[in-house]
Amino acid sequence: MSEVADPRPAAGWAGGDPDQVRALVLRLPSDVAIRFGVLVLLTVATTADILIMTLGAATGADRRFFTCATESRLFTTGVDTAAYQQFSDCFGAGAARLVTAVTVTLVLLSVVVLIAFLAYPRLLVRRRGLTPLHPEHHPELHAYLQDLCRLAGLARPVVFLIDPTTARPVGQAFGRTRRHQLSLGAGLLTLYATNRPRFRSVVLHELAHLRNRDVSLTYLALVTWRVFVALVLLPWALVTVFSGLWRGAGPDRLATVSQGLADLEWWRVAILLVLVFLARNAVLRAREYAADARAALWDAEAESSLRRAAMVTTRRRWWRPGPVLVHPSPRNRLAALADPVSMLVPSIWAVAAAGLATGLLVKHFEVPFFLLGFSGARVLVPGLLALFAGALGGFVALLGWRIAAYARLRGRFSPRLVLVCLAAGVGLLPATWLTFLYPRLPSGGATGLIVHAAPALVITFAVLWAYADADRWLTATRVERVTAPIVRTVVVCAVLIAGWAGWWSDPTWRNDLPGLVAIVGGVRDEIATLGWGWAGWLPHLVVELPAAVLARDVTAQVAAILIWLVPMAGIVGRSRSWPAGTIRYATRCGLFAGGAVLLLDLVLRTVAAGLKPDAPTALNAFAMVVASWQILVIGLVQAGTAVLVRRSGPGLALPALFAAYLAGLLGFLALVFNSVAGGCLPWLDGCGSWPSALALSRTGLSIPIIGTIMAAVTVSLLRASRRARLAAAAQRPPVGADPVDDLGDAPAAPHGAEARRRPSAARLAATVPAALALIAVLGVGLADRVVDDAYANTPNPLPGQPLSGDPAVTAAAVRSWLRDGGREAVDALEAASDALNAADSGADPAAVVAACRQLDAALARATQLPPPPDAEAGESWAKSTDLFKKTIAACPARPGADSSWQSRQRADHLTFGRASLLVTKLFLTGALQHAGD
Amino acid sequence: MARTAAESAVRTLAGEVIERAAPEETVFFAAACDRFLARARRAEAAPGGAGSRRMRAARGGGDDDLLGYGVGEAVALLTPVVLFIASAVVQRLAERTGDALVDRGSVAGRRLFRRLVRRNRKPEPQTTAAAPALAVRREQLPELRRLVQEAAAGAGLGEERTQRVVQAFLDSVRVLDE
């Protein structure tokens, strides 16, 4: 999407004054930070990927892995502790070597980047012949430049340099933080005499780079790119090509090089390279908008001069599209100058790239973390989780703040912002296909859609949460002090995402969806025996699935608590957010709602008493359904309470949230009361016999209640202890009239109508239950349908037909294939390849010839079979047989008749053939395990 | 900065021309001249094609523009052209007439001439003294005019700027009447 936004004038929050708007925009985290983060993550991920490939081959770790796995017979018989221990003993040393090599190389590269970054200013001065502008030679010009520095408010002096090589009217800010330098091109210096406003605007633009503190980031980006190309990419390409040329012979050389590149999946590296290049250019482009805005903020004449400069027609080169350029197009610069608010909306591509970079980082560090496990450090899941949550949490928080400020300044929540929110989650997904690891999750069909849509939706919600958090802060606090709130949002977002990462069967390190679907499906079948139809299974789906996913791990529970607790705790101490009358009104509504829950639950129990099944076997399902209805009743009352309070007047968003908390808390107490006392009523069966206790056992159901209790206690304690400070804060003048009016409790506020149109933090936060319910209903419903369709459409699968879908069906077909000769074929190929490997290792020419013949015979039997009835196993099976054919082709006709390159080729084909055979067995075993065999 | 007499002659001549024809470029003239002469020294030390390399030296590099302001067409600067022409003038005068053409005080051309014909010998001692204005005989003024005019036209200057540069050159040399 274009970086040009709607150039409408900003209004509302900042009073429509462009300078005020620019000041607000420049105080918020810039787009440069997001893009620079993308660049760093992409570079690190790509470097790690290339290093693992190169060093894995150089140290022999890749072959060692497959050899150890084959010899220990890992993966062949399911989870075998003894086999794993044998594999670990065999591969542990190789893993340690590889991890050490990768780590040391990464550290060395970082050191090189640092040295190059520190040396860059001196190199630039020397290479371009920059000479200092001496005050004694040019006193008037020097004094003029010092005036501009004072206007820019720079804390440290700037060293001005003359660049005689540049005829264009440009300058360039560079240098480190403590010694900023600014080169003035020869073309620019002539403007000092001939076009002073233009000279002033360009110098102010360059000083704005220093003030925006983007100079270091920019040069770090540039140096990172150059070091990456020189020390990572080029060596990798040279090693790949020349090792192929050396290993091949005659006409086979090109084929060997081609095969080497194909084995390393050169296209994937090429895509990663292009991504890093585009990220670098994106960093360079983004900084220019902010510098223009800063210069325009300092000097109105500079703004008009910058506009005139941008309007100078420049030659357009059709073969250089926008993402390739290192400077924004004049059109985009003009648009950003005319409408500084547009700078707050990151381009959808940049946001998607942030998600992609995070995904790639996680995927590419999966192997090092996995290998670290051999040293006894259990860092795989915690390490990946920390990387994932840290990186994405930072992006999400910055994105939320920018979007919140955009919506505030525009006075509305543009639909385009939803796309921006969605882009982060969608960008996460392609990372699965840009790694050399096999995607372990279904990539097609409805199940694949669910698996991949869930992270996208959850990340979208994370952005919306960050938006709501930022919006609340922007409403209640002074915008001059946003650093601490932004850091807080980053931390909370990271924790939330870490927790939510456990909610979905994510494409990074877990695959729990089939198990989850099976559990929910089993309970659904049980409920179906009641014969209640949708009234039975729908509440079950809505309630049971969140409860099931929340119960998975501690981080998920923490995240669920934080959803509700953080906004509550955060608003305490903000007197303008909590006028006394408002909180009393919200408390009354919450108490009333609690009473309503008490009565409604009694009615529900009474109705349920009449529907209670006679069969004792159905009582459990009945109890679950009634408990689900109880929870739904509480949720509905909470939602109704929030709506009631919110609609009472503008500015009641947060009190509405508080009322919903109270409703949930009292509703839970009502369930307990009815279970203990209400059940003793004459028309109900006995005290304490009703299934409300089931609600207490549901982690997912109890967590919001725990959160509510904690929030209420926190609010009470903080409110009591900070009463005096709140009173003082209430006297503080507001930032703008609008936010204060929005938070007041006067329904007839002058800006009330506008405030109603504005996005509300609570409205978005209140979408949590709705979003979860939607995910649950759509996700489980679709997944169940997939299972049903698999059973309905393939009742009798034929061996040899690749299948996807139902694991049970696939497993049955795999069993059939193994029984009909597959097992013997696999074993024969394995034995023959092992024998050839041993003969090659022993350098026994006669044994080599014998083993070759044995492999030939085994291959002849194997090729008579159909491929395994599993898509992935079939693919690796075909690969292994093809490699074994090449192995046999490289066998000597008689003992000692092969050349050295021939034996090398045979060894290569044999190694990869054995590896593919091992992978085949892995997939076959996995297919059987999925079905519980 | 230490410099040879020939370089001093080029610097003096070009500086006077710039002051007359493009005073707004005097701010960076010294830096541009230093860079031009340094690159010209390297260019002449290399075998073949010194002329075109001198022109490139005068124009400058600017290969790291990706971090600059990014907007704006290049300004047609006179300094590189004038430096190039001044260098050519000094060299031509030295080649044609040797010491006879050049004033006794104007040792620049002589030393440059010697340096050109004895390239492999030990380099001339450098001096920091500013060279006086280049002196030519009156009958040589047409040749100087033609030389500057051709060089300026070859550098792509327009008619008006060419005339301005030619006049500035003629005004900057000292005419010997005898």
Side-chain angles (χ1 to χ4, degrees):
Chain A
M1 184 172 284
S2 166
E3 292 174 7
V4 180
D6 183 12
R8 274 170 291 193
W13 194 36
D17 179 7
D19 283 348
Q20 262 191 295
V21 170
R22 281 196 186 97
L24 290 171
V25 169
L26 292 170
R27 263 186 218 111
L28 294 166
S30 75
D31 205 15
V32 181
I34 294 179
R35 296 181 183 206
F36 182 72
V38 171
L39 174 67
V40 169
L41 296 191
L42 279 176
T43 308
V44 170
T46 309
T47 305
D49 186 24
I50 291 177
L51 286 181
I52 289 168
M53 283 191 296
T54 311
L55 296 177
T59 60
D62 54 353
R63 292 185 187 182
R64 184 75 184 155
F65 176 87
F66 291 119
T67 304
C68 290
T70 308
E71 289 174 353
S72 63
R73 301 193 173 275
L74 192 69
F75 307 134
T76 53
T77 55
V79 179
D80 185 344
T81 311
Y84 186 81
Q85 186 58 45
Q86 188 183 348
F87 170 76
S88 181
D89 293 342
C90 173
F91 186 61
R97 273 199 303 274
L98 181 56
V99 170
T100 306
V102 171
T103 308
V104 168
T105 311
L106 275 177
V107 170
L108 285 177
L109 286 173
S110 305
V111 171
V112 171
V113 166
L114 184 64
I115 292 173
F117 172 69
L118 295 176
Y120 196 87
R122 287 190 177 186
L123 290 176
L124 192 63
V125 168
R126 180 174 296 179
R127 187 156 56 90
R128 301 179 73 172
L130 304 181
T131 54
L133 181 77
H134 293 293
E136 59 271 23
H137 295 162
H138 312 285
E140 186 197 352
L141 173 61
H142 190 268
Y144 185 79
L145 291 172
Q146 294 308 314
D147 284 343
L148 293 185
C149 286
R150 277 190 286 278
L151 176 64
L154 295 172
R156 291 192 170 83
V158 179
V159 177
F160 288 96
L161 301 162
I162 296 174
D163 178 6
T165 65
T166 306
R168 299 178 65 207
V170 298
Q172 183 175 337
F174 62 100
R176 295 192 296 278
T177 307
R178 293 185 179 278
R179 184 177 164 79
H180 280 139
Q181 301 174 79
L182 201 161
S183 75
L184 306 168
L188 177 64
L189 285 168
T190 61
L191 296 183
Y192 177 70
T194 60
N195 188 349
R196 186 69 62 90
R198 177 80 183 280
F199 174 82
R200 180 184 176 88
S201 65
V202 174
V203 174
L204 283 177
H205 172 94
E206 296 303 324
L207 292 175
H209 281 305
L210 301 178
R211 179 68 186 274
N212 289 343
R213 297 174 184 169
D214 62 28
V215 173
S216 296
L217 281 185
T218 306
Y219 283 90
L220 202 52
L222 200 64
V223 166
T224 303
W225 161 258
R226 289 177 178 172
V227 169
F228 168 74
V229 170
L231 298 184
V232 177
L233 191 67
L234 280 178
W236 170 78
L238 292 174
V239 165
T240 304
V241 171
F242 282 105
S243 68
L245 289 176
W246 178 73
R247 287 163 58 191
D252 290 341
R253 280 189 174 162
L254 284 180
T256 310
V257 172
S258 172
Q259 183 62 42
L261 288 171
D263 288 344
L264 294 173
E265 296 177 348
W266 64 269
W267 57 269
R268 190 174 48 76
V269 179
I271 290 176
L272 291 174
L273 176 65
V274 169
L275 287 174
V276 175
F277 175 73
L278 294 180
R280 185 206 70 161
N281 291 356
V283 171
L284 298 180
R285 283 197 308 275
R287 64 198 287 262
E288 301 299 336
Y289 297 116
D292 280 350
R294 177 81 70 185
L297 178 66
W298 288 333
D299 188 7
E301 197 178 351
E303 178 189 353
S304 58
S305 179
L306 286 169
R307 288 189 187 199
R308 281 196 298 275
M311 279 189 283
V312 172
T313 52
T314 52
R315 191 174 43 175
R316 292 183 66 88
R317 298 170 180 169
W318 60 267
W319 67 89
R320 296 191 70 191
V324 177
L325 300 176
V326 293
H327 288 104
S329 69
R331 176 172 162 265
N332 286 358
R333 289 182 98 137
L334 279 173
L337 271 172
D339 179 24
V341 183
S342 68
M343 289 165 33
L344 284 172
V345 182
S347 77
I348 288 180
W349 293 113
V351 178
L356 176 62
T358 306
L360 288 173
L361 184 79
V362 170
K363 293 299 280 185
H364 288 150
F365 273 85
E366 190 170 13
V367 171
F369 284 150
F370 170 73
L371 295 177
L372 273 176
F374 289 99
S375 65
R378 303 294 175 195
V379 294
L380 180 59
V381 171
L384 295 180
L385 200 60
L387 279 180
F388 179 72
L392 208 53
F395 284 131
V396 160
L398 295 184
L399 200 57
W401 271 86
R402 293 173 65 81
I403 289 175
Y406 178 87
R408 278 271 155 200
L409 287 165
R410 280 273 191 264
R412 62 187 171 80
F413 189 90
S414 164
R416 188 187 163 207
L417 297 181
V418 178
L419 293 179
V420 174
C421 297
L422 193 62
V426 172
L428 190 66
L429 305 180
T432 305
W433 291 281
L434 281 176
T435 55
F436 61 85
L437 299 171
Y438 284 95
R440 286 170 299 175
L441 292 180
S443 57
T447 305
L449 181 67
I450 296 165
V451 166
H452 293 102
L457 288 176
V458 171
I459 296 302
T460 302
F461 176 72
V463 178
L464 286 175
W465 191 93
Y467 158 78
D469 192 44
D471 184 67
R472 184 171 51 76
W473 276 94
L474 289 172
T475 303
T477 65
R478 290 175 177 275
V479 288
E480 291 87 352
R481 299 172 184 171
V482 293
T483 307
I486 289 173
V487 171
R488 194 192 61 101
T489 309
V490 170
V491 172
V492 174
C493 282
V495 175
L496 286 176
I497 290 173
W500 295 342
W503 288 18
W504 72 80
S505 183
D506 67 289
T508 51
W509 61 87
R510 289 170 59 163
N511 181 12
D512 300 323
L513 188 67
L516 193 62
V517 170
I519 292 170
V520 175
V523 179
R524 183 201 60 182
D525 293 342
E526 193 178 344
I527 290 173
T529 59
L530 289 176
W532 281 28
W534 66 268
W537 61 263
L538 185 61
H540 160 66
L541 290 179
V542 171
V543 173
E544 183 69 21
L545 192 65
V549 295
L550 281 175
R552 301 172 74 79
D553 52 39
V554 174
T555 52
Q557 297 177 16
V558 171
I561 292 173
L562 283 175
I563 289 177
W564 300 102
L565 183 61
V566 168
M568 288 297 293
I571 54 182
V572 175
R574 307 287 162 192
S575 61
R576 285 169 300 183
S577 303
W578 283 100
T582 304
I583 197 169
R584 276 198 297 273
Y585 174 64
T587 306
R588 279 201 303 273
C589 288
L591 292 173
F592 175 77
V597 169
L598 185 75
L599 293 177
L600 285 173
D601 184 52
L602 277 177
V603 172
L604 179 65
R605 286 163 187 268
T606 304
V607 173
L611 299 173
K612 187 177 176 184
D614 296 329
T617 53
L619 272 179
N620 188 42
F622 177 71
M624 282 192 289
V625 170
V626 174
S628 300
W629 273 110
Q630 286 174 311
I631 300 304
L632 281 182
V633 164
I634 293 177
L636 290 172
V637 171
Q638 279 184 293
T641 308
V643 170
L644 178 72
V645 175
R646 182 67 184 88
R647 291 177 67 87
S648 300
L652 294 179
L654 298 174
L657 194 60
F658 177 68
Y661 280 121
L662 280 183
L665 173 65
L666 295 175
F668 169 70
L669 294 177
L671 289 189
V672 176
F673 175 79
N674 281 346
S675 296
V676 177
C680 300
L681 293 173
W683 64 90
L684 299 177
D685 291 341
C687 301
S689 62
W690 281 91
S692 294
L694 196 64
L696 298 175
S697 69
R698 289 284 184 271
T699 315
L701 306 180
S702 58
I703 277 180
I705 296 160
I706 293 170
T708 304
I709 294 170
M710 292 175 70
V713 170
T714 309
V715 167
S716 303
L717 289 177
L718 291 178
R719 190 162 183 267
S721 64
R722 299 181 183 178
R723 186 183 300 271
R725 215 184 83 184
L726 298 184
Q731 303 301 321
R732 222 178 279 155
V735 173
D738 216 8
V740 178
D741 291 341
D742 183 50
L743 288 168
D745 55 355
H751 299 280
E754 187 183 341
R756 276 200 194 92
R757 288 196 300 273
R758 229 188 257 153
S760 149
R763 194 184 302 161
L764 288 165
T767 57
V768 178
L772 287 178
L774 188 65
I775 292 171
V777 171
L778 293 178
V780 178
L782 283 173
D784 284 354
R785 180 174 294 178
V786 170
V787 174
D788 291 343
D789 290 348
Y791 276 112
N793 296 333
T794 55
N796 296 307
L798 296 173
Q801 298 297 315
L803 294 172
S804 61
D806 181 31
V809 176
T810 306
V814 167
R815 276 196 299 275
S816 171
W817 184 83
L818 289 171
R819 193 174 52 243
D820 294 341
R823 191 182 304 279
E824 287 78 7
V826 171
D827 289 343
L829 277 177
E830 192 174 30
S833 59
D834 285 350
L836 183 53
N837 186 49
D840 271 335
S841 302
D844 183 355
V848 168
V849 173
C852 280
R853 287 176 185 156
Q854 184 186 351
L855 182 62
D856 195 15
L859 187 62
R861 282 198 301 276
T863 49
Q864 289 174 355
L865 284 173
D870 175 86
E872 292 161 320
E875 191 179 333
S876 58
W877 171 261
K879 202 171 178 181
S880 70
T881 53
D882 183 50
L883 286 163
F884 284 141
K885 278 179 192 168
K886 291 179 179 174
T887 305
I888 292 167
C891 279
R894 59 183 185 282
D898 53 347
S899 60
S900 59
W901 70 266
Q902 192 180 4
S903 65
R904 277 200 304 274
Q905 282 213 322
R906 185 175 63 244
D908 283 349
H909 292 318
L910 182 63
T911 300
F912 289 113
R914 293 174 75 206
S916 297
L917 186 63
L918 180 67
V919 172
T920 307
K921 293 168 72 176
L922 172 64
F923 282 128
L924 292 174
T925 309
L928 294 175
Q929 282 177 345
H930 273 310
D933 284 22
Chain B
M1 173 186 237
R3 58 183 77 104
T4 65
E7 289 171 354
S8 296
V10 172
R11 180 185 297 273
T12 305
L13 177 61
E16 289 189 14
V17 171
I18 286 296
E19 276 187 13
R20 287 185 168 88
E24 70 275 8
E25 298 184 21
T26 53
V27 178
F28 62 89
F29 172 77
C33 189
D34 285 344
R35 184 173 174 81
F36 167 77
L37 293 174
R39 297 185 75 165
R41 275 197 295 273
R42 287 201 296 273
E44 284 171 0
S52 61
R53 279 198 293 274
R54 275 204 305 276
M55 192 63 211
R56 280 204 298 275
R59 282 177 182 154
D63 55 345
D64 210 4
D65 192 44
L66 74 169
L67 295 169
Y69 177 61
V71 168
E73 295 290 343
V75 176
L77 298 175
L78 273 184
T79 300
V81 179
V82 167
L83 281 168
F84 173 68
I85 296 173
S87 171
V89 165
V90 171
Q91 183 179 352
R92 180 72 65 87
L93 291 178
E95 283 172 351
R96 286 281 178 86
T97 60
D99 294 348
L101 250 183
V102 188
D103 181 61
R104 184 168 56 93
S106 178
V107 294
R110 185 168 60 237
R111 287 188 176 167
L112 179 61
F113 177 75
R114 285 177 182 164
R115 185 172 169 217
L116 290 172
V117 298
R118 296 180 298 174
R119 188 171 284 167
N120 293 329
R121 293 191 182 178
K122 189 171 64 176
E124 292 290 323
Q126 294 186 335
T127 175
T128 55
L134 194 68
V136 296
R137 285 198 289 270
R138 186 169 297 281
E139 62 267 24
Q140 288 175 323
L141 284 177
E143 185 186 359
L144 177 64
R145 172 187 291 275
R146 185 183 55 78
L147 181 64
V148 174
Q149 199 151 17
E150 284 177 2
L157 296 184
E159 181 66 26
E160 186 267 335
R161 297 187 90 195
T162 299
Q163 291 308 318
R164 189 148 41 106
V165 168
V166 168
Q167 192 57 50
F169 263 96
L170 294 178
D171 293 344
S172 301
V173 295
R174 190 154 58 90
V175 180
L176 299 175
D177 290 328
E178 59 87 20

